Amino acid sequence: MTDISRIRRPELKDKVMSADEAALLFKNKMIVGSSGFTKAGDSKVVLKALAARAKQEELKVTLITGASLGHGTDAALTEAGALSKRMPFQVDRVLRDHINKGDVLFQDQHLSETAELVHGYIGEIDMAVIEVTYIEEDGSIVPTTSVGNSVTFAKLAKKVILEINTAISPDIYGIHDIFLPENYPLRNSIPIISPDVRVGRKSIPLDPEKIAGIVFTSITDAPADIAAPDKKTIAIAEHLIHFFENEVKAGRLTDRLLPLQAGIGKVANAVLLGLGNGNFHDLTMYSEVLQDSTFDLFDTGKLRFASASSITVSAECYNRVFNNLEKYRDKMVLRPQNISNAAGIIRRLGIIAINTAIEFDIYGNVNSTHIAGTHIMNGIGGSGDFARNSYLSIFVTQAASKEDKISHLLPMVSHVDHNEHDVDVLVTDFGLADLRGLAPRERALVIINNCAHPDYREELLSYFNRACELRQGQTPHILEEAFSWHTRLRETGTMKPAAKAEAKAPKAEAEVCA
């Protein structure tokens, strides 16, 4: 596991230590930055050793990462009582439960903003833990399967612990594009004019004097849970592909589309795989995560280039990619997340953003983070960065779930992450609502008629019509009923009215109320 040749600056070889020894370098109440973005390129052993130490003594830290960690690291830290605050994103069930109980504080952040906030506002980074492939002669570090916020942590942290992961070949050198914007108010533009333009260096600058320890590992990333497309996700993909084909026919897009961004998960994978079956070619991506579907599209020849901040794939795809790195290395680039998610670049490139909703309402407001308005799932991630700034902001979800007892289209969302102004297109397995250029009353009918599950369509239309009659206003609502569907679910286990729990609702009539 130890490969001392990966330390190419000789005086740093004396810094090699065990994970347990590295864990002793942490102090109570430290602010800690760690590499890791959607379970890729994260700390494999040092943070777990910190958790083991925290079981024996009072030791709590604020942990800031790029996004989620793998291998149960967040769970281990949580169960050990080692976390006082966590940001900006997580997917761990144990940590999530403790956040929702109030045991661990969680700040849900746009992923583009974390690097900005650690410039003095959150507090100084006392220690950073960064996974690397090797250390260059100049002390700079070559990342592994993600960049995330590692560039910012390397610059700002007082001390840095490096995990050299020998499971990653040094041949990964060259797939990273490391660009660090200047501080305000002297920040220049980021000169990325297409996804395949590289504007930075291939390694992360790091002052060798800050390196407090070097730990060797040989552990691959935790594999992504990739579910095969099912009936619902295939239907969503088909609706979107038909929409893109119509956009091409209308002259608003070409058969190359525009650079694609897709959130993580089975819906996003199904949509991207569906594009491989469409009449599109020479596609590009400017996204956050390269998933299995990205490499499948490479293999079909439909995808030309992809830019992101991490590679998060299944075990099979991981082996396919990293055992054949030469096949893919010139087709992809990994960047810091404040570059992959930079608003100006997203707007300049005209991104088509496809993200997942937990629920949305009849006017197009989207909840992507909270169950019943109170309980966090994972976090907003980068969906807000892309939704606000993209050429096309698309949100997808199934129309109903849990044996259709839960409708994902509601009178009013219980929590708003993306307001109606940031949402262009909504898609469920029942249809697609193109909301561009529509006023709220028009949007409501298009959404209900195209996206609602038939079991709920009639009641949604009834709510809307009565709201128009009783309350009027530009965006009619009956506040006494707006959250009644959530209340009904809590009290009865279904959002369906008792009298209609088994009934099939007819299609709503498409007429705009006065």
Side-chain angles (χ1 to χ4, degrees):
M1 184 175 72
T2 300
D3 180 1
I4 207 71
S5 68
R6 296 205 183 203
I7 304 176
R8 299 181 180 180
R9 190 177 179 93
E11 65 267 29
L12 294 178
K13 294 178 180 180
D14 292 338
K15 299 285 187 178
V16 175
M17 61 182 63
S18 69
D20 290 337
E21 290 172 324
L24 295 175
L25 299 175
F26 294 89
K27 296 180 180 180
N28 192 36
K29 298 183 180 180
M30 271 188 167
I31 297 177
V32 177
S34 176
S35 64
F37 192 103
T38 57
K39 303 195 291 187
D42 56 331
S43 166
K44 306 297 193 297
V45 293
V46 171
L47 290 183
K48 282 196 169 180
L50 172 63
R53 182 183 161 204
K55 288 183 178 180
Q56 309 300 322
E57 58 184 281
E58 179 67 22
L59 181 58
K60 287 183 178 291
V61 300
T62 291
L63 178 62
I64 309 171
T65 59
S68 54
L69 302 176
H71 294 292
T73 299
D74 271 324
L77 290 164
T78 302
E79 291 172 336
L83 294 179
S84 59
K85 183 179 288 187
R86 180 76 169 86
M87 61 183 80
F89 187 82
Q90 55 77 41
V91 299
D92 187 273
R93 184 181 300 274
V94 174
L95 174 56
R96 181 189 309 143
D97 288 345
H98 282 260
I99 290 170
N100 286 322
K101 291 176 183 176
D103 299 332
V104 177
L105 298 175
F106 178 64
Q107 183 175 3
D108 186 19
Q109 292 175 326
H110 297 297
L111 294 187
S112 66
E113 292 187 346
T114 306
E116 312 296 337
L117 290 172
V118 298
H119 278 270
Y121 182 78
I122 292 176
E124 290 186 293
I125 305 293
D126 297 297
M127 183 74 74
V129 184
I130 303 175
E131 183 182 83
V132 302
T133 308
Y134 62 88
I135 306 171
E136 290 275 31
E137 290 88 345
D138 63 357
S140 64
I141 51 180
V142 177
T144 58
T145 51
S146 73
V147 181
N149 282 318
S150 295
V151 182
T152 298
F153 295 151
K155 179 181 179 181
L156 298 181
K158 298 174 184 177
K159 294 291 182 181
V160 178
I161 297 170
L162 300 177
E163 289 191 21
I164 298 180
N165 192 340
T166 59
I168 303 296
S169 169
D171 291 339
I172 201 172
Y173 177 79
I175 74 165
H176 309 96
D177 186 41
I178 306 303
F179 183 90
L180 185 66
E182 296 87 348
N183 287 335
Y184 299 115
L186 303 175
R187 177 163 294 182
N188 293 328
S189 62
I190 304 169
I192 295 174
I193 57 173
S194 68
D196 57 350
V197 169
R198 298 172 185 259
V199 297
R201 52 182 291 166
K202 297 176 181 178
S203 60
I204 299 174
L206 177 61
D207 180 359
E209 294 297 320
K210 297 204 295 187
I211 298 175
I214 300 171
V215 178
F216 278 90
T217 71
S218 186
I219 303 170
T220 57
D221 293 333
D225 298 321
I226 303 297
D230 56 24
K231 182 179 179 180
K232 291 183 178 182
T233 57
I234 291 172
I236 291 170
E238 289 175 346
H239 294 315
L240 258 180
I241 291 165
H242 182 65
F243 169 76
F244 290 142
E245 289 172 343
N246 285 336
E247 289 294 290
V248 173
K249 290 177 183 177
R252 289 185 288 268
L253 292 172
T254 71
D255 51 13
R256 290 174 171 82
L257 301 181
L258 284 165
L260 301 165
Q261 177 264 336
I264 59 175
K266 66 179 183 179
V267 177
N269 265 296
V271 170
L272 292 178
L273 288 173
L275 289 174
N277 300 322
N279 297 316
F280 311 106
H281 67 95
D282 204 28
L283 299 173
T284 60
M285 292 184 67
Y286 193 85
S287 193
E288 303 164 291
V289 182
L290 305 186
Q291 304 178 78
D292 284 39
S293 53
T294 305
F295 296 96
D296 292 337
L297 283 174
F298 279 144
D299 292 344
T300 65
K302 291 292 184 78
L303 183 65
R304 178 176 62 83
F305 195 87
S307 168
S309 193
S310 77
I311 300 172
T312 303
V313 292
S314 66
E316 180 279 325
C317 188
Y318 187 96
N319 291 329
R320 188 198 339 161
V321 173
F322 289 100
N323 290 336
N324 301 278
L325 198 55
E326 285 304 314
K327 178 180 178 181
Y328 300 104
R329 62 180 305 113
D330 293 332
K331 299 178 181 179
M332 62 180 177
V333 66
L334 299 182
R335 311 182 196 269
Q337 68 194 68
N338 54 329
I339 304 300
S340 67
N341 292 40
I345 300 174
I346 294 168
R347 184 62 61 91
R348 179 187 304 141
L349 299 184
I351 302 298
I352 297 174
I354 307 169
N355 288 289
T356 304
I358 289 177
E359 62 186 17
F360 57 88
D361 65 28
I362 61 175
Y363 297 113
N365 300 292
V366 171
N367 170 16
S368 62
T369 60
H370 283 72
I371 302 298
T374 59
H375 282 57
I376 191 80
M377 276 295 291
N378 301 326
I380 196 169
S383 59
D385 297 322
F386 285 91
R388 174 59 62 88
N389 301 292
S390 60
Y391 170 75
L392 276 174
S393 173
I394 301 169
F395 281 91
V396 299
T397 188
Q398 56 189 321
S401 62
K402 304 295 183 183
E403 300 178 336
D404 300 332
K405 294 177 181 178
I406 299 175
S407 174
H408 293 262
L409 170 52
L410 299 157
M412 183 181 286
V413 288
S414 57
H415 175 91
V416 180
D417 292 295
H418 314 283
N419 64 51
E420 61 185 277
H421 312 292
D422 297 337
V423 181
D424 297 317
V425 177
L426 291 170
V427 195
T428 70
D429 43 317
F430 282 90
L432 180 146
D434 184 351
L435 308 178
R436 293 173 295 177
L438 300 184
R441 294 185 184 220
E442 295 173 304
R443 294 164 72 97
L445 285 168
V446 170
I447 292 170
I448 293 169
N449 284 310
N450 287 284
C451 295
H453 188 284
D455 289 358
Y456 297 96
R457 192 175 292 142
E458 183 180 43
E459 188 178 0
L460 286 165
L461 186 71
S462 171
Y463 173 88
F464 174 61
N465 283 330
R466 288 183 295 110
C468 289
E469 294 168 2
L470 296 173
R471 298 293 185 267
Q472 298 185 1
Q474 188 210 17
T475 309
H477 266 301
I478 306 171
L479 295 182
E480 297 85 350
E481 295 184 27
F483 297 118
S484 62
W485 292 35
H486 296 91
T487 304
R488 189 187 307 153
L489 175 65
R490 184 181 62 200
E491 294 176 349
T492 69
T494 179
M495 287 185 175
K496 297 178 182 180
K500 297 183 179 180
E502 302 300 327
K504 299 294 182 181
K507 183 172 178 62
E509 295 184 5
E511 59 177 350
V512 179
C513 59

